[in-house]
Amino acid sequence: MINVIVIGAHQLQAEGIAMMIESNSEFKVLDVHIHSLDFLHKTYEEPVHVIVKNISKITADDISDVQEIQRIHTKAKVLIISYAENEETIFNIIKVGAKGFLSHDATRQDLFEAIYSLRSGYDYFSKCITNILLNRYVASIQNHEKPENEQVEQLS
């Protein structure tokens, strides 16, 4: 059984995500919260494996929340569901501990696959997020492979 906590930006969305998760007999939703702070101050008898955090648009507060969640629940994996954000926001949320990221156009199957992957110790990023990360990685490789004199010429 994979134990999941759902934290949502809106009650209706959070409950909908929780119901979708519970439709899989291998998942158990331990709790649903609207605010991360409510979750942080609560203890559970069963271990929390995956925390699904639904965010409309990621803010600095959300990044701080994820960092605090990881500090307190070190063994739980955080899965973010949000609109595809800019590169910096995605990198910042990953840097503070999110292990998965689904865009809002993800399917039920994507959600299940993400939860299974996180519980198995793997990171999970939806296709559009993977493309953003891959493009950034390729760009960094190309920049590092330029001959040294070309890099110097780019300096102002």
Side-chain angles (χ1 to χ4, degrees), residues 1-153:
M1 186 66 63
I2 300 174
N3 296 327
V4 180
I5 300 288
V6 177
I7 303 171
H10 306 283
Q11 186 71 36
L12 191 59
Q13 288 177 343
E15 289 177 9
I17 291 170
M19 288 178 64
M20 191 181 314
I21 291 170
E22 285 194 324
S23 72
N24 184 320
S25 62
E26 296 180 37
F27 301 151
K28 179 180 180 183
V29 175
L30 298 177
D31 216 345
V32 177
H33 296 280
I34 300 306
H35 304 288
S36 295
L37 292 177
D38 298 337
F39 162 69
L40 290 173
H41 299 296
K42 193 166 181 181
T43 57
Y44 298 92
E45 292 179 19
E46 298 178 64
V48 177
H49 301 122
V50 177
I51 299 161
V52 177
K53 185 164 175 50
N54 182 39
I55 307 168
S56 297
K57 182 163 176 54
I58 298 172
T59 66
D61 287 341
D62 295 314
I63 292 170
S64 295
D65 287 351
V66 170
Q67 189 170 23
E68 189 67 8
I69 288 168
Q70 283 303 140
R71 188 183 69 75
I72 293 172
H73 296 277
T74 56
K75 294 185 180 182
K77 308 295 185 208
V78 177
L79 171 63
I80 301 296
I81 301 174
S82 185
Y83 293 104
E85 302 276 342
N86 64 48
E87 288 179 16
E88 279 312 305
T89 302
I90 293 168
F91 281 108
N92 287 337
I93 202 99
I94 292 170
K95 282 180 192 175
V96 297
K99 298 296 183 188
F101 198 119
L102 289 175
S103 59
H104 273 208
D105 63 351
T107 65
R108 175 191 310 249
Q109 193 58 41
D110 294 333
L111 177 61
F112 292 171
E113 188 176 332
I115 292 170
Y116 281 126
S117 295
L118 294 179
R119 179 62 178 122
S120 297
Y122 300 102
D123 293 355
Y124 186 92
F125 302 100
S126 63
K127 189 174 183 174
C128 68
I129 303 303
T130 302
N131 287 338
I132 290 170
L133 297 173
L134 185 58
N135 289 338
R136 174 98 177 239
Y137 176 72
V138 169
S140 73
I141 287 175
Q142 291 171 342
N143 287 338
H144 290 305
E145 288 181 357
K146 289 184 180 178
E148 198 171 295
N149 60 348
E150 282 184 38
Q151 290 178 348
V152 171
E153 288 176 9

